[in-house]
Amino acid sequence: MMTARTIRVWLPEPGWVEAMGGLPDGMTADVWTGGERLPDSVGQVEVVVLPFGVPGSRLPMLAKLPDLRLVQLMSAGAERVIPHVPAGVTLCNARGAHDPAVAEWIMAVILAQVRGLPAFARAQQAGTWRPAAGEPLAGQTVLIVGYGSIGVSVERLLAPFGVTVERVARRARPGVSSLDDLPGLLPQADIVILLVPVTPATVQLADTGFLGLMHDHALLVNAARGAVVDTDALLAELTTGRLRAALDVTDPEPLPPGHPLWSAPGLLLTPHVAGLSTQTIPRARAIVRDQLARYAAGEPLHNVVGARGY
């Protein structure tokens, strides 16, 4: 009689097995929080759930796990991990885990910018009473560049505000244009939201030419990655006052002290927190739980990061 195979999993935090309501039959778990010391099951682990914020210096260890078959992320972005995933190992992201939080951040910064809230916050700190008229969001044209699950969530929140939404993705489909259509869409957009993953086609996508096509006083919102924006080109536009921006991500990141983005006019800046909320971990954990069940049952996995991107 054959003994059933035990599938070894590394989970990112203690308590996850209980929080997930247990593991699928035939699975057992160790905890690896991203530190230098690895669990003793280095030679048996098949599935690694990478912790949030694992240092890049730890990622080469993936190539030292002989039985590794699946790397599961808790983030949507995968660009840091892709180069370190060995051949024959499947990489999956956590598409959907951060959609509500990121969409809410995008709505918050759009409303803050169009209604001039940063200026009022500065006036409050200075103890001055400075009434000023904001602009309405209603009637504006919003261009979502990178129309995936987060883009869908953003559009859902935008719907009550009476805006016109244009959508762009890597490949055109009904109701969604392709990246090649950007030159015709950018001049008409009052607000441009960047949600693209980092790929060779999107690194510094928002460069001098891209930004130059945006009309005066337009707003650029980046909730993707800092690498998709040419920082020097954006700084030039902000310094002249021609464009405004809201950034949750920067290049470089973290933004070092004294960097000109800190004091750039017309910029609302947050420290890569758009996807962070009290529900982030529970939502990511639910995705991991479903993925482990699929792996144990030999079913197709969700959110596979393939050769053509994600």
Side-chain angles (χ1 to χ4, degrees):
M1 181 175 178
M2 294 182 61
T3 303
R5 180 173 68 94
T6 298
I7 301 171
R8 180 77 62 167
V9 180
W10 286 359
L11 297 176
E13 295 177 15
W16 264 50
V17 173
E18 294 78 9
M20 291 190 299
L23 292 171
D25 290 342
M27 277 193 170
T28 186
D30 295 314
V31 174
W32 180 60
T33 60
E36 290 186 14
R37 183 181 178 127
L38 302 179
D40 292 337
S41 54
V42 166
Q44 297 84 41
V45 63
E46 293 185 38
V47 181
V48 171
V49 181
L50 281 184
F52 275 128
V54 61
S57 60
R58 305 282 193 270
L59 296 176
M61 70 86 190
L62 294 173
K64 300 176 181 179
L65 307 177
D67 284 354
L68 184 64
R69 296 295 177 267
L70 169 64
V71 176
Q72 174 66 51
L73 304 180
M74 294 198 295
S75 63
E79 71 281 354
R80 287 198 315 133
V81 181
I82 290 173
H84 300 284
V85 177
V89 174
T90 301
L91 174 65
C92 296
N93 69 1
R95 174 186 169 98
H98 309 277
D99 294 3
V102 175
E104 289 170 2
W105 178 90
I106 290 170
M107 284 303 311
V109 297
I110 288 175
L111 288 169
Q113 288 288 62
V114 300
R115 296 307 305 265
L117 298 189
F120 293 131
R122 291 191 294 271
Q124 178 184 356
Q125 293 298 316
T128 57
W129 190 266
R130 295 178 181 171
E135 62 189 87
L137 178 55
Q140 298 207 32
T141 296
V142 179
L143 175 61
I144 301 175
V145 183
Y147 192 72
S149 62
I150 297 176
V152 171
S153 295
V154 171
E155 183 172 5
R156 189 179 301 119
L157 294 185
L158 283 168
F161 289 89
V163 301
T164 298
V165 176
E166 299 288 347
R167 312 162 195 87
V168 167
R170 182 178 54 198
R171 292 183 294 274
R173 56 185 188 269
V176 182
S177 302
S178 74
L179 290 174
D180 293 337
D181 297 314
L182 281 174
L185 295 169
L186 285 168
Q188 313 305 319
D190 303 300
I191 300 168
V192 178
I193 302 171
L194 299 176
L195 290 170
V196 292
V198 174
T199 69
T202 63
V203 171
Q204 295 205 341
L205 173 68
D207 58 8
T208 300
F210 181 109
L211 299 174
L213 289 172
M214 295 173 63
H215 68 66
D216 291 358
H217 200 58
L219 171 65
L220 179 74
V221 178
N222 187 8
R225 289 291 188 268
V228 306
V229 174
D230 182 331
T231 299
D232 290 339
L234 178 60
L235 272 169
E237 296 284 11
L238 293 173
T239 301
T240 64
R242 197 182 76 81
L243 296 181
R244 299 168 295 165
L247 306 178
D248 186 52
V249 287
T250 60
D251 183 17
E253 186 177 310
L255 200 62
H259 193 282
L261 274 178
W262 286 115
S263 56
L267 174 62
L268 178 55
L269 178 66
T270 60
H272 205 150
V273 295
L276 297 181
S277 80
T278 56
Q279 289 302 305
T280 297
I281 294 295
R283 288 179 64 88
R285 191 186 293 126
I287 289 174
V288 170
R289 181 179 61 233
D290 176 70
Q291 200 78 299
L292 294 181
R294 290 178 171 275
Y295 184 89
E299 297 175 356
L301 301 175
H302 284 165
N303 306 325
V304 174
V305 179
R308 299 185 64 182
Y310 57 101

